[in-house]
Structures are given as structure tokens and as C-alpha cells.
Coordinates of all heavy atoms in Angstrom, one line a residue:
M186 N -23.2 -148.2 -116.5 CA -22.5 -147.9 -115.3 C -21.0 -147.8 -115.6 O -20.6 -148.6 -116.4 CB -22.7 -149.1 -114.2 CG -21.8 -148.9 -113.0 SD -22.0 -150.3 -111.8 CE -23.6 -150.0 -111.1
A187 N -20.3 -146.9 -115.0 CA -18.9 -146.8 -115.1 C -18.2 -148.0 -114.5 O -18.7 -148.7 -113.7 CB -18.4 -145.6 -114.4
K188 N -17.1 -148.3 -115.2 CA -16.4 -149.6 -114.8 C -15.0 -149.2 -114.1 O -14.3 -148.4 -114.7 CB -16.1 -150.4 -116.0 CG -15.6 -151.8 -115.8 CD -15.5 -152.5 -117.1 CE -14.8 -153.9 -116.8 NZ -14.5 -154.6 -118.0
P189 N -14.7 -149.7 -112.9 CA -13.4 -149.4 -112.3 C -12.3 -149.8 -113.3 O -12.3 -150.9 -113.9 CB -13.4 -150.2 -111.1 CG -14.8 -150.7 -110.9 CD -15.5 -150.7 -112.2
I190 N -11.2 -149.0 -113.3 CA -10.0 -149.3 -114.0 C -8.9 -149.6 -113.0 O -8.4 -148.7 -112.3 CB -9.6 -148.2 -114.9 CG1 -10.8 -147.8 -115.9 CG2 -8.3 -148.5 -115.7 CD1 -10.5 -146.5 -116.7
P191 N -8.6 -150.9 -112.9 CA -7.4 -151.2 -112.0 C -6.1 -150.5 -112.4 O -5.8 -150.3 -113.6 CB -7.3 -152.7 -112.1 CG -8.5 -153.2 -112.7 CD -9.0 -152.1 -113.6
I192 N -5.4 -150.0 -111.5 CA -4.1 -149.4 -111.8 C -3.0 -150.4 -111.8 O -2.8 -151.2 -110.9 CB -3.8 -148.3 -110.6 CG1 -4.9 -147.3 -110.5 CG2 -2.5 -147.7 -110.9 CD1 -5.2 -146.5 -111.7
D193 N -2.3 -150.4 -112.9 CA -1.1 -151.3 -113.1 C 0.1 -150.4 -113.4 O 0.0 -149.2 -113.6 CB -1.4 -152.4 -114.0 CG -1.7 -151.9 -115.4 OD1 -1.4 -150.8 -115.7 OD2 -2.2 -152.8 -116.1
Q194 N 1.2 -151.1 -113.6 CA 2.5 -150.3 -113.8 C 2.3 -149.7 -115.2 O 2.9 -148.5 -115.4 CB 3.7 -151.3 -113.8 CG 5.0 -150.6 -113.8 CD 5.2 -149.5 -112.7 OE1 5.0 -149.9 -111.5 NE2 5.4 -148.3 -113.0
E195 N 1.7 -150.3 -116.2 CA 1.6 -149.6 -117.5 C 0.8 -148.4 -117.4 O 1.2 -147.3 -118.0 CB 0.9 -150.6 -118.5 CG 0.8 -150.0 -119.9 CD 0.0 -151.0 -120.8 OE1 -0.4 -152.1 -120.3 OE2 -0.2 -150.6 -122.0
F196 N -0.3 -148.3 -116.6 CA -1.0 -147.1 -116.4 C -0.2 -146.0 -115.7 O -0.2 -144.9 -116.1 CB -2.3 -147.4 -115.5 CG -3.1 -146.2 -115.2 CD1 -4.1 -145.8 -116.0 CD2 -2.8 -145.4 -114.0 CE1 -4.9 -144.6 -115.7 CE2 -3.5 -144.2 -113.7 CZ -4.5 -143.9 -114.6
V197 N 0.6 -146.4 -114.7 CA 1.4 -145.5 -113.9 C 2.4 -144.9 -114.8 O 2.6 -143.6 -114.9 CB 2.0 -146.2 -112.7 CG1 3.1 -145.3 -112.0 CG2 1.0 -146.6 -111.7
D198 N 3.0 -145.7 -115.7 CA 4.1 -145.2 -116.6 C 3.5 -144.1 -117.6 O 4.0 -143.1 -117.8 CB 4.7 -146.3 -117.4 CG 5.5 -147.3 -116.5 OD1 5.9 -146.8 -115.3 OD2 5.9 -148.3 -116.9
Q199 N 2.3 -144.5 -118.2 CA 1.7 -143.6 -119.1 C 1.1 -142.3 -118.4 O 1.3 -141.2 -118.9 CB 0.5 -144.3 -119.8 CG 1.0 -145.4 -120.8 CD -0.1 -146.0 -121.6 OE1 -1.3 -145.8 -121.3 NE2 0.2 -147.0 -122.4
A200 N 0.6 -142.5 -117.2 CA 0.0 -141.3 -116.5 C 1.1 -140.4 -116.1 O 0.8 -139.1 -116.1 CB -0.8 -141.8 -115.3
N201 N 2.3 -140.8 -115.8 CA 3.3 -140.0 -115.4 C 4.0 -139.2 -116.5 O 4.9 -138.4 -116.3 CB 4.4 -140.8 -114.6 CG 4.0 -141.0 -113.2 OD1 3.3 -140.3 -112.5 ND2 4.4 -142.3 -112.7
E202 N 3.6 -139.5 -117.8 CA 4.1 -138.8 -118.9 C 3.5 -137.4 -119.1 O 4.1 -136.6 -119.7 CB 3.9 -139.6 -120.2 CG 4.7 -140.8 -120.2 CD 4.5 -141.7 -121.5 OE1 3.7 -141.2 -122.3 OE2 5.0 -142.8 -121.6
G203 N 2.4 -137.2 -118.6 CA 1.7 -135.9 -118.7 C 1.7 -135.1 -117.4 O 2.5 -135.4 -116.5
P204 N 0.8 -134.1 -117.3 CA 0.7 -133.3 -116.1 C 0.3 -134.3 -114.9 O 0.0 -135.5 -115.1 CB -0.5 -132.4 -116.4 CG -0.5 -132.2 -117.8 CD 0.0 -133.6 -118.4
S205 N 0.5 -133.9 -113.7 CA 0.2 -134.6 -112.5 C -1.1 -135.5 -112.6 O -2.1 -135.0 -112.9 CB 0.1 -133.8 -111.3 OG -0.3 -134.5 -110.2
P206 N -0.9 -136.8 -112.5 CA -2.1 -137.8 -112.6 C -3.2 -137.3 -111.7 O -4.4 -137.6 -112.0 CB -1.5 -139.1 -112.3 CG 0.0 -139.1 -112.7 CD 0.3 -137.6 -112.3
T207 N -2.8 -136.8 -110.4 CA -3.9 -136.5 -109.5 C -4.7 -135.3 -109.9 O -5.7 -135.0 -109.3 CB -3.3 -136.3 -108.1 OG1 -2.3 -135.3 -108.2 CG2 -2.8 -137.6 -107.6
K208 N -4.2 -134.6 -111.0 CA -5.0 -133.5 -111.5 C -5.9 -133.9 -112.6 O -6.8 -133.2 -113.0 CB -4.1 -132.3 -112.0 CG -3.3 -131.6 -110.9 CD -2.7 -130.4 -111.5 CE -2.1 -129.6 -110.3 NZ -3.0 -129.1 -109.3
R209 N -5.6 -135.1 -113.2 CA -6.4 -135.5 -114.4 C -7.3 -136.7 -114.0 O -8.2 -137.1 -114.8 CB -5.4 -135.9 -115.5 CG -4.6 -134.8 -116.0 CD -3.7 -135.1 -117.0 NE -2.6 -135.9 -116.5 CZ -2.1 -137.0 -117.1 NH1 -2.6 -137.5 -118.2 NH2 -1.1 -137.8 -116.6
F210 N -7.1 -137.5 -113.0 CA -7.8 -138.7 -112.6 C -8.3 -138.6 -111.2 O -7.7 -137.9 -110.4 CB -7.0 -139.9 -112.8 CG -6.4 -140.1 -114.1 CD1 -5.1 -139.7 -114.4 CD2 -7.2 -140.8 -115.2 CE1 -4.6 -140.0 -115.7 CE2 -6.6 -140.9 -116.4 CZ -5.3 -140.5 -116.7
R211 N -9.4 -139.4 -110.9 CA -9.8 -139.5 -109.5 C -9.4 -141.0 -109.1 O -9.8 -141.9 -109.9 CB -11.3 -139.3 -109.4 CG -11.7 -137.9 -109.8 CD -13.0 -137.5 -109.2 NE -12.8 -137.2 -107.8 CZ -13.8 -137.1 -107.0 NH1 -15.1 -137.3 -107.4 NH2 -13.6 -136.8 -105.7
F212 N -8.7 -141.1 -108.1 CA -8.3 -142.5 -107.6 C -9.1 -142.8 -106.3 O -9.5 -141.9 -105.6 CB -6.8 -142.4 -107.3 CG -5.9 -142.2 -108.5 CD1 -5.4 -140.9 -108.7 CD2 -5.7 -143.2 -109.4 CE1 -4.6 -140.6 -109.8 CE2 -4.9 -142.9 -110.5 CZ -4.4 -141.7 -110.7
S213 N -9.3 -144.1 -106.2 CA -10.0 -144.5 -105.0 C -9.2 -145.8 -104.4 O -8.4 -146.4 -105.1 CB -11.4 -144.9 -105.2 OG -11.5 -146.0 -106.1
S214 N -9.4 -146.0 -103.1 CA -8.9 -147.2 -102.5 C -9.9 -147.6 -101.4 O -10.8 -146.8 -101.1 CB -7.5 -146.9 -101.9 OG -7.6 -146.0 -101.0
A215 N -9.6 -148.7 -100.8 CA -10.6 -149.2 -99.8 C -10.5 -148.3 -98.5 O -9.4 -147.7 -98.3 CB -10.2 -150.6 -99.4
C216 N -11.7 -148.0 -97.9 CA -11.7 -147.2 -96.7 C -10.9 -148.0 -95.6 O -11.1 -149.2 -95.4 CB -13.1 -147.0 -96.2 SG -13.3 -146.2 -94.7
V217 N -10.0 -147.3 -94.9 CA -9.2 -148.0 -93.9 C -9.9 -148.0 -92.5 O -9.4 -148.6 -91.6 CB -7.8 -147.3 -93.8 CG1 -7.1 -147.4 -95.1 CG2 -7.9 -145.9 -93.4
T218 N -11.0 -147.3 -92.4 CA -11.8 -147.2 -91.1 C -10.8 -147.0 -89.9 O -11.0 -147.6 -88.9 CB -12.6 -148.5 -90.8 OG1 -11.7 -149.7 -90.7 CG2 -13.6 -148.8 -92.0
G219 N -9.9 -146.2 -90.1 CA -8.9 -145.9 -89.0 C -8.3 -144.5 -89.2 O -7.4 -144.1 -88.4
C220 N -8.7 -143.8 -90.2 CA -8.1 -142.4 -90.5 C -8.7 -141.4 -89.5 O -9.6 -141.7 -88.7 CB -8.2 -142.0 -91.9 SG -9.9 -141.4 -92.3
G221 N -8.2 -140.2 -89.6 CA -8.7 -139.2 -88.8 C -10.2 -138.8 -88.9 O -10.8 -138.1 -88.0
F222 N -10.8 -139.2 -89.9 CA -12.3 -138.9 -90.2 C -13.1 -140.0 -89.6 O -14.3 -139.8 -89.5 CB -12.5 -138.7 -91.7 CG -11.9 -137.5 -92.3 CD1 -10.8 -137.6 -93.2 CD2 -12.2 -136.2 -91.9 CE1 -10.2 -136.6 -93.7 CE2 -11.6 -135.1 -92.4 CZ -10.6 -135.3 -93.3
W223 N -12.6 -141.1 -89.2 CA -13.3 -142.3 -88.8 C -13.7 -142.1 -87.4 O -13.0 -141.7 -86.6 CB -12.5 -143.5 -88.9 CG -13.3 -144.8 -88.6 CD1 -13.2 -145.7 -87.6 CD2 -14.4 -145.4 -89.5 NE1 -14.1 -146.7 -87.6 CE2 -14.8 -146.6 -88.8 CE3 -15.0 -145.0 -90.6 CZ2 -15.9 -147.3 -89.3 CZ3 -16.0 -145.8 -91.1 CH2 -16.5 -146.9 -90.5
N224 N -15.1 -142.2 -87.1 CA -15.6 -142.0 -85.8 C -15.9 -143.2 -85.0 O -16.6 -143.2 -83.9 CB -16.8 -141.0 -85.8 CG -18.0 -141.6 -86.5 OD1 -18.1 -142.8 -86.7 ND2 -18.9 -140.8 -86.9
G225 N -15.5 -144.3 -85.6 CA -15.8 -145.6 -84.8 C -16.9 -146.4 -85.6 O -17.0 -147.6 -85.5
T226 N -17.8 -145.6 -86.2 CA -19.0 -146.3 -86.8 C -19.1 -145.8 -88.3 O -19.9 -146.3 -89.0 CB -20.3 -146.1 -86.1 OG1 -20.5 -144.7 -85.9 CG2 -20.2 -146.8 -84.7
G227 N -18.6 -144.6 -88.6 CA -18.7 -144.0 -90.0 C -17.7 -143.0 -90.2 O -16.8 -142.7 -89.4
C228 N -17.9 -142.3 -91.4 CA -16.9 -141.3 -91.9 C -17.5 -140.0 -91.6 O -18.4 -139.6 -92.2 CB -16.7 -141.6 -93.4 SG -15.6 -140.4 -94.1
N229 N -16.8 -139.2 -90.7 CA -17.2 -137.8 -90.5 C -17.0 -136.9 -91.7 O -17.8 -135.9 -91.8 CB -16.4 -137.2 -89.3 CG -16.8 -137.7 -87.9 OD1 -18.0 -138.3 -87.9 ND2 -15.9 -137.6 -87.0
L230 N -16.2 -137.3 -92.6 CA -16.0 -136.4 -93.8 C -17.2 -136.4 -94.7 O -17.5 -135.4 -95.3 CB -14.7 -136.9 -94.5 CG -14.3 -136.0 -95.7 CD1 -14.0 -134.5 -95.2 CD2 -13.1 -136.5 -96.4
A231 N -17.9 -137.6 -94.8 CA -19.0 -137.7 -95.7 C -20.2 -136.8 -95.0 O -20.8 -136.0 -95.8 CB -19.6 -139.1 -95.7
A232 N -20.4 -136.8 -93.8 CA -21.3 -136.0 -93.1 C -21.0 -134.5 -93.3 O -21.8 -133.6 -93.5 CB -21.4 -136.3 -91.6
K233 N -19.6 -134.2 -93.2 CA -19.2 -132.8 -93.3 C -19.4 -132.3 -94.8 O -19.9 -131.1 -95.0 CB -17.7 -132.7 -93.0 CG -17.2 -131.3 -93.0 CD -17.7 -130.5 -91.9 CE -17.0 -129.1 -91.8 NZ -17.5 -128.3 -90.7
A234 N -19.2 -133.1 -95.7 CA -19.5 -132.8 -97.2 C -20.9 -132.4 -97.4 O -21.3 -131.5 -98.0 CB -19.1 -134.0 -98.1
L235 N -21.8 -133.2 -96.7 CA -23.2 -132.8 -96.8 C -23.6 -131.6 -96.1 O -24.4 -130.8 -96.6 CB -24.1 -134.0 -96.2 CG -24.2 -135.3 -97.1 CD1 -24.8 -136.4 -96.3 CD2 -24.9 -134.9 -98.4
Q236 N -23.0 -131.3 -95.0 CA -23.2 -130.1 -94.2 C -22.8 -128.8 -95.1 O -23.4 -127.8 -95.1 CB -22.5 -130.0 -92.9 CG -23.0 -130.9 -91.9 CD -22.1 -130.9 -90.6 OE1 -21.0 -130.3 -90.6 NE2 -22.6 -131.6 -89.6
L237 N -21.7 -129.0 -95.8 CA -21.1 -127.8 -96.7 C -21.9 -127.7 -98.0 O -21.7 -126.7 -98.7 CB -19.6 -128.1 -96.9 CG -18.7 -128.0 -95.7 CD1 -17.3 -128.5 -96.1 CD2 -18.8 -126.7 -95.1
A238 N -22.7 -128.6 -98.3 CA -23.3 -128.6 -99.6 C -24.8 -128.1 -99.5 O -25.7 -128.6 -100.2 CB -23.3 -130.0 -100.2
V239 N -25.1 -127.2 -98.6 CA -26.4 -126.7 -98.4 C -27.1 -126.1 -99.6 O -28.3 -126.1 -99.7 CB -26.5 -125.7 -97.3 CG1 -26.1 -126.4 -95.9 CG2 -25.5 -124.5 -97.5
D240 N -26.3 -125.6 -100.5 CA -26.8 -125.0 -101.7 C -26.8 -125.9 -102.9 O -27.2 -125.5 -104.0 CB -26.1 -123.7 -102.1 CG -26.3 -122.6 -101.0 OD1 -27.3 -122.6 -100.4 OD2 -25.3 -121.8 -100.9
E241 N -26.3 -127.1 -102.7 CA -26.3 -128.1 -103.8 C -27.6 -128.7 -104.2 O -28.4 -129.0 -103.3 CB -25.3 -129.2 -103.3 CG -24.9 -130.2 -104.5 CD -23.8 -129.5 -105.3 OE1 -23.0 -128.7 -104.8 OE2 -23.7 -130.0 -106.5
D242 N -27.9 -128.8 -105.5 CA -29.1 -129.5 -105.9 C -29.0 -131.0 -105.8 O -28.1 -131.5 -106.6 CB -29.4 -129.1 -107.3 CG -30.7 -129.8 -107.9 OD1 -31.4 -130.5 -107.1 OD2 -31.0 -129.6 -109.1
M243 N -29.6 -131.6 -105.0 CA -29.5 -133.0 -104.8 C -30.6 -133.9 -105.3 O -30.9 -135.0 -104.8 CB -29.2 -133.3 -103.3 CG -28.0 -132.8 -102.8 SD -27.6 -133.2 -101.1 CE -26.3 -132.1 -100.7
T244 N -31.3 -133.3 -106.2 CA -32.6 -134.0 -106.7 C -32.3 -134.7 -108.1 O -33.1 -135.4 -108.5 CB -33.7 -133.0 -106.9 OG1 -33.3 -131.9 -107.8 CG2 -34.1 -132.3 -105.5
G245 N -31.3 -134.3 -108.8 CA -31.0 -134.9 -110.1 C -30.5 -136.3 -110.1 O -30.2 -136.9 -109.0
P246 N -30.3 -136.9 -111.2 CA -29.7 -138.2 -111.3 C -28.3 -138.2 -110.7 O -27.5 -137.2 -110.7 CB -29.7 -138.5 -112.8 CG -29.9 -137.2 -113.4 CD -30.5 -136.3 -112.6
L247 N -27.9 -139.4 -110.1 CA -26.6 -139.5 -109.6 C -25.5 -139.5 -110.7 O -25.8 -140.0 -111.8 CB -26.5 -140.9 -108.8 CG -27.5 -141.0 -107.6 CD1 -27.2 -142.3 -106.9 CD2 -27.4 -139.8 -106.7
P248 N -24.3 -139.0 -110.4 CA -23.3 -139.0 -111.3 C -22.8 -140.4 -111.6 O -22.9 -141.3 -110.7 CB -22.2 -138.1 -110.7 CG -22.5 -138.2 -109.2 CD -24.0 -138.3 -109.1
K249 N -22.3 -140.6 -112.7 CA -21.7 -142.0 -113.0 C -20.6 -142.2 -112.0 O -19.8 -141.3 -111.6 CB -21.1 -142.0 -114.4 CG -22.1 -142.1 -115.5 CD -21.4 -142.3 -116.8 CE -22.4 -142.3 -118.0 NZ -21.7 -142.4 -119.3
C250 N -20.5 -143.4 -111.5 CA -19.5 -143.8 -110.6 C -19.1 -145.2 -110.6 O -20.0 -146.1 -110.7 CB -19.9 -143.4 -109.2 SG -18.7 -143.9 -107.9
A251 N -17.9 -145.6 -110.7 CA -17.4 -146.9 -110.8 C -17.3 -147.7 -109.5 O -17.1 -148.9 -109.5 CB -16.0 -147.0 -111.6
I252 N -17.5 -147.0 -108.4 CA -17.2 -147.7 -107.1 C -18.4 -147.6 -106.2 O -18.3 -147.9 -105.0 CB -15.9 -147.0 -106.4 CG1 -16.2 -145.6 -106.0 CG2 -14.7 -147.2 -107.2 CD1 -15.2 -145.1 -105.0
R253 N -19.5 -147.2 -106.7 CA -20.7 -147.0 -105.8 C -21.0 -148.3 -105.0 O -21.5 -148.1 -103.8 CB -21.9 -146.5 -106.7 CG -23.2 -146.1 -105.9 CD -24.1 -145.3 -106.6 NE -23.5 -143.9 -106.7 CZ -23.5 -143.3 -107.9 NH1 -24.1 -143.8 -109.0 NH2 -23.0 -142.1 -108.1
K254 N -20.9 -149.4 -105.6 CA -21.3 -150.7 -104.9 C -20.5 -150.9 -103.6 O -20.9 -151.5 -102.7 CB -21.1 -151.9 -105.8 CG -22.1 -152.1 -106.9 CD -21.8 -153.4 -107.6 CE -22.6 -153.6 -108.8 NZ -22.2 -154.7 -109.7
T255 N -19.3 -150.3 -103.5 CA -18.4 -150.5 -102.4 C -18.1 -149.2 -101.7 O -17.2 -149.2 -100.8 CB -17.1 -151.2 -102.8 OG1 -16.5 -150.4 -103.8 CG2 -17.4 -152.6 -103.4
C256 N -18.7 -148.1 -102.1 CA -18.4 -146.8 -101.5 C -18.9 -146.6 -100.1 O -20.1 -146.8 -99.8 CB -18.9 -145.6 -102.4 SG -18.6 -144.0 -101.8
R257 N -18.0 -146.3 -99.2 CA -18.3 -146.0 -97.8 C -19.3 -144.9 -97.7 O -20.3 -144.9 -96.9 CB -17.0 -145.7 -97.0 CG -17.2 -145.1 -95.7 CD -17.8 -146.0 -94.6 NE -16.9 -147.2 -94.5 CZ -17.2 -148.3 -93.9 NH1 -18.3 -148.4 -93.3 NH2 -16.3 -149.3 -93.8
W258 N -19.0 -143.8 -98.4 CA -19.9 -142.6 -98.3 C -21.4 -142.9 -98.7 O -22.3 -142.6 -98.1 CB -19.4 -141.4 -99.2 CG -18.2 -140.7 -98.6 CD1 -17.4 -141.1 -97.5 CD2 -17.8 -139.4 -98.9 NE1 -16.5 -140.2 -97.3 CE2 -16.7 -139.0 -98.1 CE3 -18.3 -138.4 -99.8 CZ2 -16.1 -137.9 -98.2 CZ3 -17.7 -137.3 -99.9 CH2 -16.6 -136.9 -99.0
Y259 N -21.5 -143.7 -99.8 CA -22.8 -144.0 -100.4 C -23.5 -144.9 -99.5 O -24.7 -144.7 -99.2 CB -22.6 -144.6 -101.8 CG -23.9 -145.0 -102.4 CD1 -24.7 -144.0 -103.0 CD2 -24.4 -146.3 -102.4 CE1 -25.9 -144.4 -103.6 CE2 -25.5 -146.7 -103.0 CZ -26.3 -145.7 -103.6 OH -27.6 -146.0 -104.2
S260 N -22.8 -145.9 -98.9 CA -23.5 -146.8 -98.0 C -23.9 -146.1 -96.7 O -24.9 -146.5 -96.1 CB -22.6 -148.0 -97.7 OG -21.5 -147.7 -96.9
Q261 N -23.2 -145.1 -96.3 CA -23.5 -144.4 -95.1 C -24.5 -143.4 -95.3 O -25.4 -143.2 -94.4 CB -22.2 -143.8 -94.6 CG -22.3 -143.0 -93.4 CD -20.9 -142.4 -93.0 OE1 -19.9 -143.1 -92.9 NE2 -20.9 -141.1 -92.6
E262 N -24.4 -142.6 -96.3 CA -25.3 -141.3 -96.4 C -26.4 -141.5 -97.6 O -27.2 -140.6 -97.7 CB -24.4 -140.1 -96.7 CG -23.3 -139.9 -95.7 CD -23.9 -139.5 -94.3 OE1 -25.0 -139.1 -94.3 OE2 -23.1 -139.6 -93.3
G263 N -26.2 -142.5 -98.4 CA -27.1 -142.6 -99.6 C -26.7 -141.7 -100.7 O -25.7 -141.0 -100.7
G264 N -27.6 -141.7 -101.7 CA -27.2 -140.9 -103.0 C -26.9 -139.5 -102.9 O -26.2 -138.9 -103.7
K265 N -27.6 -138.9 -101.9 CA -27.4 -137.4 -101.9 C -25.9 -137.0 -101.7 O -25.5 -136.0 -102.2 CB -28.2 -136.8 -100.7 CG -27.8 -137.3 -99.4 CD -28.8 -136.9 -98.2 CE -28.3 -137.5 -97.0 NZ -29.3 -137.5 -96.0
V266 N -25.1 -137.8 -101.0 CA -23.7 -137.5 -101.0 C -22.9 -137.5 -102.2 O -21.9 -136.8 -102.4 CB -23.0 -138.3 -99.9 CG1 -22.7 -139.8 -100.4 CG2 -21.7 -137.7 -99.3
C267 N -23.5 -138.3 -103.3 CA -22.8 -138.3 -104.5 C -22.8 -137.0 -105.3 O -22.0 -136.7 -106.0 CB -23.5 -139.4 -105.4 SG -23.4 -141.1 -104.8
H268 N -23.8 -136.2 -104.9 CA -23.9 -134.8 -105.5 C -22.8 -133.9 -105.0 O -22.5 -132.8 -105.5 CB -25.2 -134.2 -105.3 CG -26.3 -134.9 -106.0 ND1 -26.4 -134.9 -107.4 CD2 -27.3 -135.8 -105.5 CE1 -27.5 -135.7 -107.7 NE2 -28.0 -136.2 -106.7
T269 N -22.2 -134.3 -103.8 CA -21.1 -133.4 -103.3 C -19.6 -134.0 -103.7 O -18.7 -133.3 -103.6 CB -21.1 -133.5 -101.7 OG1 -20.7 -134.8 -101.3 CG2 -22.5 -133.1 -101.2
C270 N -19.7 -135.2 -104.1 CA -18.4 -136.0 -104.4 C -17.4 -135.2 -105.3 O -16.2 -135.2 -105.1 CB -18.7 -137.4 -104.8 SG -17.3 -138.4 -104.8
S271 N -17.9 -134.7 -106.4 CA -17.1 -134.1 -107.4 C -16.4 -132.8 -106.8 O -15.4 -132.3 -107.4 CB -17.9 -133.7 -108.6 OG -18.8 -132.7 -108.4
H272 N -16.8 -132.3 -105.7 CA -16.2 -131.1 -105.1 C -15.0 -131.5 -104.2 O -14.3 -130.5 -103.8 CB -17.2 -130.3 -104.3 CG -18.4 -129.8 -105.1 ND1 -18.3 -128.9 -106.2 CD2 -19.7 -130.1 -105.0 CE1 -19.5 -128.7 -106.6 NE2 -20.3 -129.4 -105.9
V273 N -14.8 -132.7 -104.0 CA -13.7 -133.2 -103.1 C -12.4 -133.1 -103.9 O -12.3 -133.8 -105.0 CB -13.9 -134.6 -102.6 CG1 -12.7 -135.0 -101.8 CG2 -15.2 -134.6 -101.7
V274 N -11.5 -132.3 -103.4 CA -10.2 -132.1 -104.1 C -9.1 -132.4 -103.1 O -9.2 -131.9 -102.0 CB -10.0 -130.7 -104.7 CG1 -8.7 -130.5 -105.3 CG2 -11.2 -130.4 -105.7
T275 N -8.2 -133.2 -103.5 CA -7.1 -133.5 -102.6 C -5.7 -133.0 -103.1 O -4.8 -132.8 -102.2 CB -6.9 -135.0 -102.3 OG1 -6.7 -135.7 -103.5 CG2 -8.1 -135.6 -101.6
D276 N -5.7 -132.7 -104.4 CA -4.4 -132.1 -104.9 C -4.6 -130.7 -105.2 O -5.2 -130.3 -106.2 CB -4.0 -132.9 -106.2 CG -2.7 -132.4 -106.8 OD1 -2.2 -131.4 -106.2 OD2 -2.2 -133.1 -107.7
M277 N -4.1 -129.9 -104.2 CA -4.4 -128.4 -104.4 C -3.1 -127.7 -104.9 O -3.1 -126.5 -104.9 CB -4.7 -127.8 -103.0 CG -5.9 -128.4 -102.4 SD -7.4 -127.9 -103.2 CE -7.7 -126.3 -102.6
S278 N -2.1 -128.5 -105.4 CA -0.9 -127.8 -105.9 C -1.1 -127.1 -107.2 O -2.1 -127.4 -107.9 CB 0.2 -128.9 -106.1 OG -0.2 -129.9 -107.0
Ligands
LIG376 S1 -20.0 -140.6 -103.0 FE1 -21.1 -141.4 -104.7 S2 -20.1 -140.6 -106.5 FE2 -18.7 -140.4 -104.8 S3 -17.4 -142.2 -104.9 FE3 -19.1 -142.7 -103.5 S4 -20.7 -143.6 -104.8 FE4 -19.2 -142.5 -106.2

């Protein structure tokens, strides 16, 4: 299983030496259950990711993930949503 890597100042300093860290790493944080995607009981973005992944093969093994035990999307939608996760991009610059 992948192991989470806590972010500290040393990591930040090293990561800022190269191209944008958000283009080279995937970062996570706790679900705030209050953002625009929160519907009061779950995350609408996870459901939307599944709707958009109609052509995705969701039968293979799950990708390695360091946060699965605490992932909101996984607890809500199960392993099939993990097959959509790598398509989520937040840094479009
Ligand atoms: S959806 Fe799956 S792969 Fe993506 S962060 Fe959650 S547990 Fe990991």
C-alpha cells in the first residue's frame, strides 16, 4: 500500500525548486464537508466523476492510493470511483 507523505517545510522548499509542485504531485487534505460540492450528506463531485466516466473500465485492480482509508469519495462511492480519480486535475495552468 502507498504510504502518505506528510508535507513539511523541507518538502515545500525542495518542491519549489522545480516546476510547479501541483504539476508533479497530487496533494490531499481532509474533506471540509462545506464546500460547493457538499450536498449535506455527500460529495456531488464524486458522483459527477462517475457520471463522466461512462467509458472508463472499472473492473481492474484499484490504483495505489495512500489515503484510501480516509477518502471521502471511496467511502461514499466505493472502489469504482478510484478509476476516475487520476483524471481529476486542478492545476490547468
Ligand atoms: S478516490 Fe480512490 S484513488 Fe482517489 S483518493 Fe480516494 S481512495 Fe484514493
Side-chain angles (χ1 to χ4, degrees):
M186 173 184 287
K188 187 176 177 186
I190 302 172
I192 303 300
D193 59 16
Q194 191 58 50
E195 182 181 1
F196 176 91
V197 171
D198 292 343
Q199 290 180 357
N201 282 327
E202 290 177 5
S205 174
T207 54
K208 291 192 175 300
R209 296 179 290 136
F210 301 98
R211 299 198 76 195
F212 297 100
S213 65
S214 62
C216 176
V217 298
T218 65
C220 77
F222 296 110
W223 187 250
N224 65 17
T226 59
C228 177
N229 283 340
L230 189 57
K233 185 69 174 177
L235 285 172
Q236 287 176 354
L237 294 174
V239 290
D240 294 330
E241 193 78 27
D242 177 8
M243 298 189 190
T244 60
L247 300 184
K249 287 184 179 177
C250 178
I252 66 165
R253 188 160 287 131
K254 286 182 184 172
T255 58
C256 177
R257 166 72 59 192
W258 281 22
Y259 181 76
S260 69
Q261 178 181 314
E262 305 291 344
K265 61 188 177 202
V266 77
C267 297
H268 294 286
T269 72
C270 192
S271 64
H272 299 297
V273 176
V274 176
T275 57
D276 184 349
M277 302 291 281
S278 60

